[in-house]
Amino acid sequence: ENRKVHDIVAAQLPLLRELYAPTMAQVGLIQSVGNDSESMPIGRATTSEQLLEQPVHFQARQTLLQFLPLNAKIALLDELPGSQRARGIPAASLDYELSRKAQSIWKVARSDAQASAQLSLALHRGLNQLVQRTSLTQSLKGILSAGGRRSVQYVGSKLVKHFAR
């Protein structure tokens, strides 16, 4: 099992929590539920086992959308139902368009959880597209700068490592 990402996140989790605590408190992530189900304020956690409760209602999600970077907002808008290509939308209008599209998801959903899941799926698809494009560009740059022979050696070693598991 590849635990590389898990190990990196686990090692940095206390710092990530400290870094994002003000933002999480602002968007409504104001409760932490520990193993004993006692609530404590965010930012006061002393262990990496702290669980956070997050509301899934529209207002909380709308606030989270505002914190997305510009390219993630564009990628999300491109994935939402009934959206035109978001690249031409002025940056100042992106938050309004995202809010409007998200609100339309909430109007037709049976529950906050269903609407939130639909929005999450669209964001996941949009970010996948964004990462795929960037990854492909980086790969091509790497091949051009390293040369064909070295690139084949690198890919070969990665494949051997992958299949050796």
Side-chain angles (χ1 to χ4, degrees):
E1 182 182 349
N2 187 356
R3 297 179 47 90
K4 184 177 182 179
V5 172
H6 175 270
D7 292 344
I8 291 169
V9 171
Q12 299 301 318
L13 199 53
L15 294 172
L16 287 169
R17 284 199 173 116
E18 183 179 329
L19 177 67
Y20 287 105
T23 301
M24 291 188 306
Q26 183 178 351
V27 298
L29 296 175
I30 55 172
Q31 277 194 328
S32 168
V33 180
N35 291 338
D36 57 2
S37 297
E38 286 185 303
S39 294
M40 65 175 75
I42 300 285
R44 303 272 186 215
T46 57
T47 71
S48 62
E49 297 301 315
Q50 180 186 20
L51 299 175
L52 303 176
E53 285 188 339
Q54 182 180 18
V56 293
H57 57 76
F58 173 72
Q59 291 79 9
R61 293 301 186 227
Q62 182 181 23
T63 304
L64 285 174
L65 291 175
Q66 293 171 1
F67 283 99
L68 288 174
L70 181 64
N71 58 351
K73 289 177 182 180
I74 291 170
L76 173 58
L77 264 175
D78 285 344
E79 291 297 324
L80 290 174
S83 290
Q84 305 292 330
R85 273 299 279 160
R87 291 252 175 244
I89 297 174
S93 302
L94 280 175
D95 284 334
Y96 171 77
E97 283 300 314
L98 268 176
S99 179
R100 194 172 68 76
K101 291 292 181 184
Q103 201 165 29
S104 68
I105 291 172
W106 256 261
K107 284 180 182 177
V108 297
R110 286 188 223 123
S111 67
D112 284 342
Q114 182 188 34
S116 183
Q118 190 176 346
L119 185 65
S120 177
L121 181 62
L123 180 59
H124 184 77
R125 284 192 311 256
L127 291 178
N128 275 343
Q129 290 293 322
L130 190 63
V131 169
Q132 256 181 349
R133 272 190 303 253
T134 306
S135 181
L136 179 61
T137 303
Q138 282 301 111
S139 295
L140 291 174
K141 287 179 182 177
I143 290 169
L144 292 175
S145 65
R149 182 174 168 219
R150 193 176 278 173
S151 296
V152 169
Q153 288 173 332
Y154 175 76
V155 169
S157 69
K158 288 292 184 182
L159 288 173
V160 167
K161 183 178 175 182
H162 176 74
F163 289 113
R165 290 184 206 159

